[in-house]
Amino acid sequence: MKKLTIMLATVAGLAISAGSALADSTLKMVEVITSPPRTEFLKKQIAEFEAANSGIKVELISLPWGQAFEKFLTMVQAGDTPDVVEMPERWMGLYANNAQLEDLGPYMAKWDDAKTLGDRAKQFGSTVNNTQFMIPYGYYVNALFWNKKLFKEAGLDGPPATLDEFVADSKKISAIPGKYGYCLRGGPGAFNGMHMFMNIAAGKGGYFNEDGTSTINEEGSVKGLQMLADMYKDGLAPKDAVSWGFNETVTGFYSGTCAMLNQDPDALLGIADKMSADDFAVAPLPTGPSGKSYPTLGYAGWAMFANSQHKDDAWKLMATLLSPKDNLAWAKEVGVVPIHNGADQDPHFKTEQFKGWFTELSDSSKYEMVTPPTHLENLGNFVDQVAIKNFQEVLLGQKTAKDVADQWAAFLTKEQQDWLAKNKK
Amino acid sequence: MTYAVSEMRPAGQSRKKRLTYANVEPWLYLSPAIILLVVVLLVPLIIGISYSFRKFSAFKSVYVGLGQYQAMLSDHVLGQALINTLWWTVASLFFQFFLGLGLALLLDKPFWGRKVVQALVFLPWAVPSFLSGLTWAWLFNPIIGPLPHWLYALGLKAEPTNVLSDPATAMWGPIVANVWFGIPFFAITLLAALKSIPSEMHEAAAIDGASPWQRFTKVTLPFLAPTIAITVMLRTLWIATFADLIFVMTEGGPAGSTNTVPVYIYVSAFKSLDKGYASAVAVLLLVLLIAYAIALIAIRRSLVRHV
């Protein structure tokens, strides 16, 4: 009897180990822009993928965005690399230039869904060395949220169309006690919005001239920076805004403290929860003296690590998440503009709240999208630390707009020219 | 004669025997602790110091000798961070100490409900610093927090703005949070020291006609002095290297006005990705704190001698 028990236990043990051998690959996946509902949603998509692909397990690691950069870098430095990673555009240069990302071109060539994939996904995913190191899952396009109630109270009947109107409207709204025209973002993540207004004022998009010199300290750009500093100084934005990040600007907008906010579609999720759809709308950004505007287009996507041991399975996972069906659901959940052609016909995206973004995306003669120079390896620290500190110094009147713009231009020009010299064919 | 017996042995052998039994044995008992200290303290310290002679980027490093130390000499941000650290440490310590001492003196006297008050007073110590930082940051926010409106209502501020967004006042935000967080430490340790003062001393002083103030300065304070010196030293080191509250509440801003040395070390290592420079700054902080500790220990010695 005792022998039989031992035999049975051995057989059971072998069966279990054989079973686990069949589930042969466990994919490690890291997400870096997280929120509890978003992570839940991703887990649901992963569960569906696992159900459809028996034998592949996905282990998801969620890093809170605030410390994601250093945490993920530390993981990679320690050799603890994932198979699939969520890749924000600004990190791409760092990992791709260090030969750590897999070229996704060959996988895409055999991918059925590539047919409907918008051109921008191919273009923005291959900014480093013309190689497809990632595939974006959506775009964060900047547009102008405006509070209809506050505008009416200030005697205004629509959002500003030009930069001058933007300042004038802000002034009128700020005349209402306790209210401000613009939800300025001076703290974490301030660079994009600030640079966008510099571009609009300059009537020139992007970061560089062809010779690699930076455009950030040209006369028009400096005027744009000065305009924001003056607005802050004149009380058209709350005093607090000097250190505002995403949450504070969004709270400032939906609480009715300030009437205008330039933001991406992901801000809509929180705002639509707190405000009635009749009280606000999203308009395209105001245009500058050139009659054009330059919205920032940010993006994040999925990338594969080149040292992955399960590349085919990793691609299967990525292809599922990036399929038109999953991507549309994902875009609605996280608040990004989807990547496949025809998605704008979905009823969800046809509301007044999405109008501003689709107007910008559809009129390329008036709206020129600006993407960050993701090929530069040292962009992260500049954008997240140096530029924000300097911007605050300008807002507080400790440094002049010109001095700071010159300092930024020196850094950007050097980085770009180094890159050009290294990548000269 | 025992001397003669031992002298008859060859000198080398006897010394060897003494080494084996008398000298090595205690070291063997201590060895687990020593190995642990070497592995968790000494090795990382040496690696950290060796990093300060290298220049790092994300995935490579090169030896630059004293380059990082030279760079520190002309680094204005570091200069400002040192001043901020001094300000942050002195102000936090001052209020923590005096409020903690006051609290300890109050809790030393019996009164109704003292145990409940004692438990409540020590509560901040149990809250994770990250959480208290977030809570205080929200309290200072005029959109959702009450503090700016109270300050405005009391006439202390011209309008209900956030102290954290004005470079002139920003440091007060984390200092207030830190004082709230740190009072229990002084209250607990000083209360324990107060309890150890023999009551006869006070009684004798009272019989001799000493006023309450004289009893405090001539009896209580001298007994407390050694505890005060050691707690002040420990607390100074902790506050000077404590970056949690500042980072959570202001991230060193606005415009670098709350940037202290530990925050700067963190930013240099993990945002600028230059571990070498971060290590060099950390070595500087280490040297400054060691010098401070030596000075304070010397002061404590002289205090103890006087008592």
PDB file of all heavy atoms in Angstrom, chain A residues 69-70 73 77 94 98 100 240 242-244 381 385 392-393 396 398, chain B residues 58-59 142-143 162 165 167 254-256 266-267 270-273 275:
ATOM      1  N   PHE A  69      10.919  55.625 -15.264  1.00  0.00           N
ATOM      2  CA  PHE A  69      12.153  55.744 -16.037  1.00  0.00           C
ATOM      3  C   PHE A  69      13.327  55.128 -15.292  1.00  0.00           C
ATOM      4  O   PHE A  69      14.029  54.262 -15.811  1.00  0.00           O
ATOM      5  CB  PHE A  69      12.431  57.223 -16.360  1.00  0.00           C
ATOM      6  CG  PHE A  69      13.718  57.421 -17.083  1.00  0.00           C
ATOM      7  CD1 PHE A  69      13.861  56.991 -18.390  1.00  0.00           C
ATOM      8  CD2 PHE A  69      14.805  58.017 -16.461  1.00  0.00           C
ATOM      9  CE1 PHE A  69      15.065  57.150 -19.064  1.00  0.00           C
ATOM     10  CE2 PHE A  69      16.007  58.181 -17.119  1.00  0.00           C
ATOM     11  CZ  PHE A  69      16.128  57.750 -18.432  1.00  0.00           C
ATOM     12  N   GLU A  70      13.541  55.557 -14.027  1.00  0.00           N
ATOM     13  CA  GLU A  70      14.700  55.042 -13.295  1.00  0.00           C
ATOM     14  C   GLU A  70      14.536  53.573 -12.926  1.00  0.00           C
ATOM     15  O   GLU A  70      15.492  52.807 -12.959  1.00  0.00           O
ATOM     16  CB  GLU A  70      15.032  55.898 -12.074  1.00  0.00           C
ATOM     17  CG  GLU A  70      13.899  56.241 -11.140  1.00  0.00           C
ATOM     18  CD  GLU A  70      13.155  57.500 -11.554  1.00  0.00           C
ATOM     19  OE1 GLU A  70      12.961  57.721 -12.772  1.00  0.00           O
ATOM     20  OE2 GLU A  70      12.731  58.260 -10.663  1.00  0.00           O
ATOM     21  N   LEU A  73      15.105  51.496 -16.108  1.00  0.00           N
ATOM     22  CA  LEU A  73      16.524  51.546 -16.480  1.00  0.00           C
ATOM     23  C   LEU A  73      17.354  50.666 -15.548  1.00  0.00           C
ATOM     24  O   LEU A  73      18.249  49.941 -15.989  1.00  0.00           O
ATOM     25  CB  LEU A  73      17.022  52.992 -16.447  1.00  0.00           C
ATOM     26  CG  LEU A  73      18.474  53.171 -16.860  1.00  0.00           C
ATOM     27  CD1 LEU A  73      18.640  52.883 -18.350  1.00  0.00           C
ATOM     28  CD2 LEU A  73      18.971  54.568 -16.561  1.00  0.00           C
ATOM     29  N   GLN A  77      19.737  47.718 -16.645  1.00  0.00           N
ATOM     30  CA  GLN A  77      21.171  47.738 -16.300  1.00  0.00           C
ATOM     31  C   GLN A  77      21.569  46.465 -15.564  1.00  0.00           C
ATOM     32  O   GLN A  77      22.676  45.971 -15.701  1.00  0.00           O
ATOM     33  CB  GLN A  77      21.473  48.958 -15.424  1.00  0.00           C
ATOM     34  CG  GLN A  77      21.558  50.243 -16.217  1.00  0.00           C
ATOM     35  CD  GLN A  77      21.648  51.473 -15.312  1.00  0.00           C
ATOM     36  OE1 GLN A  77      21.203  51.446 -14.167  1.00  0.00           O
ATOM     37  NE2 GLN A  77      22.191  52.553 -15.849  1.00  0.00           N
ATOM     38  N   LEU A  94      17.392  56.098 -26.221  1.00  0.00           N
ATOM     39  CA  LEU A  94      18.279  55.486 -25.235  1.00  0.00           C
ATOM     40  C   LEU A  94      18.444  53.986 -25.480  1.00  0.00           C
ATOM     41  O   LEU A  94      19.556  53.476 -25.590  1.00  0.00           O
ATOM     42  CB  LEU A  94      17.714  55.746 -23.836  1.00  0.00           C
ATOM     43  CG  LEU A  94      18.500  55.173 -22.670  1.00  0.00           C
ATOM     44  CD1 LEU A  94      19.870  55.806 -22.600  1.00  0.00           C
ATOM     45  CD2 LEU A  94      17.756  55.401 -21.360  1.00  0.00           C
ATOM     46  N   ASN A  98      21.403  51.814 -28.002  1.00  0.00           N
ATOM     47  CA  ASN A  98      22.262  50.850 -27.319  1.00  0.00           C
ATOM     48  C   ASN A  98      21.980  49.420 -27.769  1.00  0.00           C
ATOM     49  O   ASN A  98      22.310  48.469 -27.055  1.00  0.00           O
ATOM     50  CB  ASN A  98      22.084  50.978 -25.807  1.00  0.00           C
ATOM     51  CG  ASN A  98      22.899  52.134 -25.270  1.00  0.00           C
ATOM     52  OD1 ASN A  98      24.119  52.054 -25.194  1.00  0.00           O
ATOM     53  ND2 ASN A  98      22.229  53.225 -24.961  1.00  0.00           N
ATOM     54  N   GLN A 100      19.426  47.535 -27.932  1.00  0.00           N
ATOM     55  CA  GLN A 100      18.704  46.620 -27.050  1.00  0.00           C
ATOM     56  C   GLN A 100      17.325  46.260 -27.560  1.00  0.00           C
ATOM     57  O   GLN A 100      16.668  45.401 -26.989  1.00  0.00           O
ATOM     58  CB  GLN A 100      18.616  47.235 -25.660  1.00  0.00           C
ATOM     59  CG  GLN A 100      19.927  47.030 -24.933  1.00  0.00           C
ATOM     60  CD  GLN A 100      20.052  47.868 -23.717  1.00  0.00           C
ATOM     61  OE1 GLN A 100      19.580  48.987 -23.683  1.00  0.00           O
ATOM     62  NE2 GLN A 100      20.709  47.324 -22.724  1.00  0.00           N
ATOM     63  N   ASP A 240      -0.170  79.213  -8.291  1.00  0.00           N
ATOM     64  CA  ASP A 240       0.186  77.831  -8.015  1.00  0.00           C
ATOM     65  C   ASP A 240       0.702  77.067  -9.227  1.00  0.00           C
ATOM     66  O   ASP A 240       1.441  76.093  -9.101  1.00  0.00           O
ATOM     67  CB  ASP A 240      -1.124  77.158  -7.592  1.00  0.00           C
ATOM     68  CG  ASP A 240      -0.949  76.309  -6.406  1.00  0.00           C
ATOM     69  OD1 ASP A 240      -0.016  76.595  -5.662  1.00  0.00           O
ATOM     70  OD2 ASP A 240      -1.734  75.368  -6.240  1.00  0.00           O
ATOM     71  N   VAL A 242       2.850  77.358 -11.275  1.00  0.00           N
ATOM     72  CA  VAL A 242       4.290  77.246 -11.533  1.00  0.00           C
ATOM     73  C   VAL A 242       4.790  75.824 -11.240  1.00  0.00           C
ATOM     74  O   VAL A 242       5.751  75.369 -11.847  1.00  0.00           O
ATOM     75  CB  VAL A 242       5.076  78.305 -10.712  1.00  0.00           C
ATOM     76  CG1 VAL A 242       4.976  78.036  -9.225  1.00  0.00           C
ATOM     77  CG2 VAL A 242       6.532  78.367 -11.137  1.00  0.00           C
ATOM     78  N   SER A 243       4.085  75.122 -10.354  1.00  0.00           N
ATOM     79  CA  SER A 243       4.537  73.756 -10.088  1.00  0.00           C
ATOM     80  C   SER A 243       3.487  72.711 -10.463  1.00  0.00           C
ATOM     81  O   SER A 243       3.583  71.571 -10.049  1.00  0.00           O
ATOM     82  CB  SER A 243       4.947  73.613  -8.623  1.00  0.00           C
ATOM     83  OG  SER A 243       3.960  74.157  -7.792  1.00  0.00           O
ATOM     84  N   TRP A 244       2.505  73.105 -11.249  1.00  0.00           N
ATOM     85  CA  TRP A 244       1.450  72.166 -11.633  1.00  0.00           C
ATOM     86  C   TRP A 244       1.940  71.100 -12.609  1.00  0.00           C
ATOM     87  O   TRP A 244       2.669  71.385 -13.553  1.00  0.00           O
ATOM     88  CB  TRP A 244       0.291  72.919 -12.290  1.00  0.00           C
ATOM     89  CG  TRP A 244      -0.689  73.482 -11.302  1.00  0.00           C
ATOM     90  CD1 TRP A 244      -0.543  73.506  -9.948  1.00  0.00           C
ATOM     91  CD2 TRP A 244      -1.949  74.108 -11.589  1.00  0.00           C
ATOM     92  NE1 TRP A 244      -1.650  74.096  -9.372  1.00  0.00           N
ATOM     93  CE2 TRP A 244      -2.512  74.477 -10.344  1.00  0.00           C
ATOM     94  CE3 TRP A 244      -2.639  74.397 -12.756  1.00  0.00           C
ATOM     95  CZ2 TRP A 244      -3.753  75.113 -10.259  1.00  0.00           C
ATOM     96  CZ3 TRP A 244      -3.868  75.034 -12.673  1.00  0.00           C
ATOM     97  CH2 TRP A 244      -4.422  75.389 -11.435  1.00  0.00           C
ATOM     98  N   ASN A 381      16.526  63.618 -19.633  1.00  0.00           N
ATOM     99  CA  ASN A 381      16.895  64.480 -18.512  1.00  0.00           C
ATOM    100  C   ASN A 381      16.631  65.948 -18.838  1.00  0.00           C
ATOM    101  O   ASN A 381      16.148  66.713 -18.007  1.00  0.00           O
ATOM    102  CB  ASN A 381      18.370  64.269 -18.174  1.00  0.00           C
ATOM    103  CG  ASN A 381      18.806  65.165 -17.041  1.00  0.00           C
ATOM    104  OD1 ASN A 381      18.166  65.201 -16.011  1.00  0.00           O
ATOM    105  ND2 ASN A 381      19.875  65.905 -17.261  1.00  0.00           N
ATOM    106  N   GLN A 385      13.940  67.482 -16.435  1.00  0.00           N
ATOM    107  CA  GLN A 385      14.568  68.178 -15.312  1.00  0.00           C
ATOM    108  C   GLN A 385      14.988  69.602 -15.668  1.00  0.00           C
ATOM    109  O   GLN A 385      14.452  70.559 -15.146  1.00  0.00           O
ATOM    110  CB  GLN A 385      15.817  67.408 -14.842  1.00  0.00           C
ATOM    111  CG  GLN A 385      15.521  66.021 -14.321  1.00  0.00           C
ATOM    112  CD  GLN A 385      14.701  66.053 -13.052  1.00  0.00           C
ATOM    113  OE1 GLN A 385      14.869  66.925 -12.208  1.00  0.00           O
ATOM    114  NE2 GLN A 385      13.794  65.115 -12.914  1.00  0.00           N
ATOM    115  N   GLN A 392      10.478  77.374 -14.897  1.00  0.00           N
ATOM    116  CA  GLN A 392       9.992  77.959 -13.638  1.00  0.00           C
ATOM    117  C   GLN A 392      10.757  79.240 -13.313  1.00  0.00           C
ATOM    118  O   GLN A 392      10.177  80.218 -12.834  1.00  0.00           O
ATOM    119  CB  GLN A 392      10.142  76.948 -12.492  1.00  0.00           C
ATOM    120  CG  GLN A 392       9.194  75.759 -12.638  1.00  0.00           C
ATOM    121  CD  GLN A 392       9.377  74.704 -11.568  1.00  0.00           C
ATOM    122  OE1 GLN A 392      10.449  74.588 -10.979  1.00  0.00           O
ATOM    123  NE2 GLN A 392       8.351  73.899 -11.338  1.00  0.00           N
ATOM    124  N   GLU A 393      12.055  79.229 -13.607  1.00  0.00           N
ATOM    125  CA  GLU A 393      12.848  80.439 -13.348  1.00  0.00           C
ATOM    126  C   GLU A 393      12.368  81.610 -14.203  1.00  0.00           C
ATOM    127  O   GLU A 393      12.350  82.757 -13.751  1.00  0.00           O
ATOM    128  CB  GLU A 393      14.340  80.158 -13.592  1.00  0.00           C
ATOM    129  CG  GLU A 393      14.954  79.298 -12.491  1.00  0.00           C
ATOM    130  CD  GLU A 393      16.314  78.711 -12.849  1.00  0.00           C
ATOM    131  OE1 GLU A 393      16.646  78.616 -14.053  1.00  0.00           O
ATOM    132  OE2 GLU A 393      17.040  78.318 -11.931  1.00  0.00           O
ATOM    133  N   LEU A 396       8.993  82.848 -12.823  1.00  0.00           N
ATOM    134  CA  LEU A 396       9.148  83.588 -11.564  1.00  0.00           C
ATOM    135  C   LEU A 396       9.992  84.847 -11.724  1.00  0.00           C
ATOM    136  O   LEU A 396      10.263  85.556 -10.758  1.00  0.00           O
ATOM    137  CB  LEU A 396       9.795  82.677 -10.515  1.00  0.00           C
ATOM    138  CG  LEU A 396       8.944  81.460 -10.116  1.00  0.00           C
ATOM    139  CD1 LEU A 396       9.778  80.427  -9.388  1.00  0.00           C
ATOM    140  CD2 LEU A 396       7.771  81.891  -9.255  1.00  0.00           C
ATOM    141  N   GLN A 398      13.147  85.027 -12.468  1.00  0.00           N
ATOM    142  CA  GLN A 398      14.535  84.916 -12.009  1.00  0.00           C
ATOM    143  C   GLN A 398      15.527  84.910 -13.176  1.00  0.00           C
ATOM    144  O   GLN A 398      16.700  85.197 -13.004  1.00  0.00           O
ATOM    145  CB  GLN A 398      14.712  83.622 -11.198  1.00  0.00           C
ATOM    146  CG  GLN A 398      13.887  83.594  -9.931  1.00  0.00           C
ATOM    147  CD  GLN A 398      13.972  82.256  -9.218  1.00  0.00           C
ATOM    148  OE1 GLN A 398      14.513  81.293  -9.763  1.00  0.00           O
ATOM    149  NE2 GLN A 398      13.446  82.179  -8.021  1.00  0.00           N
TER     150      GLN A 398
ATOM    151  N   ALA B  58      23.911  56.055 -19.372  1.00  0.00           N
ATOM    152  CA  ALA B  58      23.022  54.935 -19.042  1.00  0.00           C
ATOM    153  C   ALA B  58      23.720  53.576 -19.062  1.00  0.00           C
ATOM    154  O   ALA B  58      23.555  52.767 -18.169  1.00  0.00           O
ATOM    155  CB  ALA B  58      21.840  54.927 -19.988  1.00  0.00           C
ATOM    156  N   PHE B  59      24.510  53.312 -20.083  1.00  0.00           N
ATOM    157  CA  PHE B  59      25.053  51.961 -20.227  1.00  0.00           C
ATOM    158  C   PHE B  59      26.573  51.892 -20.300  1.00  0.00           C
ATOM    159  O   PHE B  59      27.131  50.863 -20.639  1.00  0.00           O
ATOM    160  CB  PHE B  59      24.443  51.269 -21.457  1.00  0.00           C
ATOM    161  CG  PHE B  59      22.957  51.105 -21.332  1.00  0.00           C
ATOM    162  CD1 PHE B  59      22.096  51.908 -22.055  1.00  0.00           C
ATOM    163  CD2 PHE B  59      22.410  50.174 -20.462  1.00  0.00           C
ATOM    164  CE1 PHE B  59      20.719  51.769 -21.929  1.00  0.00           C
ATOM    165  CE2 PHE B  59      21.041  50.023 -20.327  1.00  0.00           C
ATOM    166  CZ  PHE B  59      20.199  50.823 -21.066  1.00  0.00           C
ATOM    167  N   PRO B 142      -4.428  75.171  -2.732  1.00  0.00           N
ATOM    168  CA  PRO B 142      -5.608  76.009  -2.476  1.00  0.00           C
ATOM    169  C   PRO B 142      -6.889  75.497  -3.132  1.00  0.00           C
ATOM    170  O   PRO B 142      -7.974  75.870  -2.705  1.00  0.00           O
ATOM    171  CB  PRO B 142      -5.210  77.371  -3.042  1.00  0.00           C
ATOM    172  CG  PRO B 142      -4.084  77.105  -3.954  1.00  0.00           C
ATOM    173  CD  PRO B 142      -3.416  75.843  -3.531  1.00  0.00           C
ATOM    174  N   ILE B 143      -6.773  74.671  -4.156  1.00  0.00           N
ATOM    175  CA  ILE B 143      -7.998  74.207  -4.824  1.00  0.00           C
ATOM    176  C   ILE B 143      -8.730  73.179  -3.958  1.00  0.00           C
ATOM    177  O   ILE B 143      -9.945  73.205  -3.841  1.00  0.00           O
ATOM    178  CB  ILE B 143      -7.684  73.628  -6.217  1.00  0.00           C
ATOM    179  CG1 ILE B 143      -7.171  74.758  -7.121  1.00  0.00           C
ATOM    180  CG2 ILE B 143      -8.922  72.992  -6.855  1.00  0.00           C
ATOM    181  CD1 ILE B 143      -6.869  74.338  -8.523  1.00  0.00           C
ATOM    182  N   ASN B 162      -0.580  78.812  -2.731  1.00  0.00           N
ATOM    183  CA  ASN B 162       0.153  77.653  -2.241  1.00  0.00           C
ATOM    184  C   ASN B 162       1.567  78.065  -1.807  1.00  0.00           C
ATOM    185  O   ASN B 162       2.314  78.620  -2.628  1.00  0.00           O
ATOM    186  CB  ASN B 162       0.230  76.625  -3.378  1.00  0.00           C
ATOM    187  CG  ASN B 162       0.631  75.265  -2.897  1.00  0.00           C
ATOM    188  OD1 ASN B 162       1.231  75.130  -1.838  1.00  0.00           O
ATOM    189  ND2 ASN B 162       0.303  74.257  -3.672  1.00  0.00           N
ATOM    190  N   SER B 165       4.409  76.870  -4.111  1.00  0.00           N
ATOM    191  CA  SER B 165       4.680  77.362  -5.461  1.00  0.00           C
ATOM    192  C   SER B 165       5.416  78.702  -5.456  1.00  0.00           C
ATOM    193  O   SER B 165       5.698  79.251  -6.511  1.00  0.00           O
ATOM    194  CB  SER B 165       3.380  77.482  -6.255  1.00  0.00           C
ATOM    195  OG  SER B 165       2.497  78.325  -5.584  1.00  0.00           O
ATOM    196  N   PRO B 167       8.934  80.432  -4.536  1.00  0.00           N
ATOM    197  CA  PRO B 167      10.293  80.049  -4.143  1.00  0.00           C
ATOM    198  C   PRO B 167      10.699  80.607  -2.777  1.00  0.00           C
ATOM    199  O   PRO B 167      11.507  80.001  -2.080  1.00  0.00           O
ATOM    200  CB  PRO B 167      11.183  80.624  -5.233  1.00  0.00           C
ATOM    201  CG  PRO B 167      10.302  81.127  -6.280  1.00  0.00           C
ATOM    202  CD  PRO B 167       8.891  81.140  -5.812  1.00  0.00           C
ATOM    203  N   PRO B 254       9.799  75.027  -6.625  1.00  0.00           N
ATOM    204  CA  PRO B 254       9.947  75.556  -7.973  1.00  0.00           C
ATOM    205  C   PRO B 254      11.320  76.210  -8.180  1.00  0.00           C
ATOM    206  O   PRO B 254      11.855  76.805  -7.255  1.00  0.00           O
ATOM    207  CB  PRO B 254       8.831  76.613  -8.043  1.00  0.00           C
ATOM    208  CG  PRO B 254       8.556  76.980  -6.629  1.00  0.00           C
ATOM    209  CD  PRO B 254       8.894  75.786  -5.789  1.00  0.00           C
ATOM    210  N   ALA B 255      11.792  76.059  -9.392  1.00  0.00           N
ATOM    211  CA  ALA B 255      13.070  76.643  -9.813  1.00  0.00           C
ATOM    212  C   ALA B 255      14.210  76.282  -8.866  1.00  0.00           C
ATOM    213  O   ALA B 255      15.064  77.101  -8.577  1.00  0.00           O
ATOM    214  CB  ALA B 255      12.940  78.157  -9.958  1.00  0.00           C
ATOM    215  N   GLY B 256      14.200  75.067  -8.339  1.00  0.00           N
ATOM    216  CA  GLY B 256      15.317  74.587  -7.524  1.00  0.00           C
ATOM    217  C   GLY B 256      15.325  75.128  -6.105  1.00  0.00           C
ATOM    218  O   GLY B 256      16.289  74.906  -5.371  1.00  0.00           O
ATOM    219  N   TYR B 266      19.875  62.157  -5.899  1.00  0.00           N
ATOM    220  CA  TYR B 266      18.888  61.285  -6.546  1.00  0.00           C
ATOM    221  C   TYR B 266      18.700  61.675  -8.016  1.00  0.00           C
ATOM    222  O   TYR B 266      18.731  60.823  -8.907  1.00  0.00           O
ATOM    223  CB  TYR B 266      17.556  61.369  -5.787  1.00  0.00           C
ATOM    224  CG  TYR B 266      16.437  60.646  -6.475  1.00  0.00           C
ATOM    225  CD1 TYR B 266      16.348  59.263  -6.415  1.00  0.00           C
ATOM    226  CD2 TYR B 266      15.470  61.339  -7.200  1.00  0.00           C
ATOM    227  CE1 TYR B 266      15.320  58.584  -7.063  1.00  0.00           C
ATOM    228  CE2 TYR B 266      14.454  60.676  -7.852  1.00  0.00           C
ATOM    229  CZ  TYR B 266      14.385  59.307  -7.779  1.00  0.00           C
ATOM    230  OH  TYR B 266      13.374  58.648  -8.440  1.00  0.00           O
ATOM    231  N   VAL B 267      18.526  62.981  -8.249  1.00  0.00           N
ATOM    232  CA  VAL B 267      18.301  63.449  -9.622  1.00  0.00           C
ATOM    233  C   VAL B 267      19.529  63.159 -10.491  1.00  0.00           C
ATOM    234  O   VAL B 267      19.407  62.683 -11.625  1.00  0.00           O
ATOM    235  CB  VAL B 267      17.961  64.963  -9.630  1.00  0.00           C
ATOM    236  CG1 VAL B 267      18.008  65.534 -11.035  1.00  0.00           C
ATOM    237  CG2 VAL B 267      16.587  65.190  -9.023  1.00  0.00           C
ATOM    238  N   PHE B 270      19.609  59.187 -11.040  1.00  0.00           N
ATOM    239  CA  PHE B 270      18.534  58.480 -11.731  1.00  0.00           C
ATOM    240  C   PHE B 270      17.853  59.274 -12.833  1.00  0.00           C
ATOM    241  O   PHE B 270      17.166  58.690 -13.652  1.00  0.00           O
ATOM    242  CB  PHE B 270      17.491  58.014 -10.711  1.00  0.00           C
ATOM    243  CG  PHE B 270      18.044  56.967  -9.792  1.00  0.00           C
ATOM    244  CD1 PHE B 270      18.349  57.260  -8.484  1.00  0.00           C
ATOM    245  CD2 PHE B 270      18.292  55.691 -10.264  1.00  0.00           C
ATOM    246  CE1 PHE B 270      18.873  56.298  -7.643  1.00  0.00           C
ATOM    247  CE2 PHE B 270      18.818  54.718  -9.443  1.00  0.00           C
ATOM    248  CZ  PHE B 270      19.118  55.022  -8.128  1.00  0.00           C
ATOM    249  N   LYS B 271      18.012  60.585 -12.850  1.00  0.00           N
ATOM    250  CA  LYS B 271      17.412  61.360 -13.929  1.00  0.00           C
ATOM    251  C   LYS B 271      18.489  61.751 -14.937  1.00  0.00           C
ATOM    252  O   LYS B 271      18.321  61.593 -16.124  1.00  0.00           O
ATOM    253  CB  LYS B 271      16.713  62.614 -13.394  1.00  0.00           C
ATOM    254  CG  LYS B 271      15.628  62.346 -12.383  1.00  0.00           C
ATOM    255  CD  LYS B 271      14.349  61.859 -13.032  1.00  0.00           C
ATOM    256  CE  LYS B 271      13.258  61.656 -11.991  1.00  0.00           C
ATOM    257  NZ  LYS B 271      12.054  61.044 -12.531  1.00  0.00           N
ATOM    258  N   SER B 272      19.621  62.285 -14.435  1.00  0.00           N
ATOM    259  CA  SER B 272      20.709  62.624 -15.353  1.00  0.00           C
ATOM    260  C   SER B 272      21.523  61.384 -15.691  1.00  0.00           C
ATOM    261  O   SER B 272      22.383  61.430 -16.555  1.00  0.00           O
ATOM    262  CB  SER B 272      21.646  63.662 -14.729  1.00  0.00           C
ATOM    263  OG  SER B 272      20.922  64.716 -14.194  1.00  0.00           O
ATOM    264  N   LEU B 273      21.293  60.304 -14.986  1.00  0.00           N
ATOM    265  CA  LEU B 273      21.969  59.022 -15.205  1.00  0.00           C
ATOM    266  C   LEU B 273      23.468  59.093 -14.961  1.00  0.00           C
ATOM    267  O   LEU B 273      24.211  58.260 -15.471  1.00  0.00           O
ATOM    268  CB  LEU B 273      21.706  58.494 -16.627  1.00  0.00           C
ATOM    269  CG  LEU B 273      20.239  58.368 -17.025  1.00  0.00           C
ATOM    270  CD1 LEU B 273      20.135  57.832 -18.436  1.00  0.00           C
ATOM    271  CD2 LEU B 273      19.497  57.463 -16.068  1.00  0.00           C
ATOM    272  N   LYS B 275      25.781  58.431 -12.337  1.00  0.00           N
ATOM    273  CA  LYS B 275      26.002  57.872 -11.009  1.00  0.00           C
ATOM    274  C   LYS B 275      27.318  58.369 -10.420  1.00  0.00           C
ATOM    275  O   LYS B 275      27.471  58.458  -9.211  1.00  0.00           O
ATOM    276  CB  LYS B 275      26.056  56.345 -11.083  1.00  0.00           C
ATOM    277  CG  LYS B 275      24.703  55.704 -11.091  1.00  0.00           C
ATOM    278  CD  LYS B 275      24.886  54.197 -10.977  1.00  0.00           C
ATOM    279  CE  LYS B 275      23.979  53.496 -11.933  1.00  0.00           C
ATOM    280  NZ  LYS B 275      24.447  52.198 -12.361  1.00  0.00           N
TER     281      LYS B 275
END
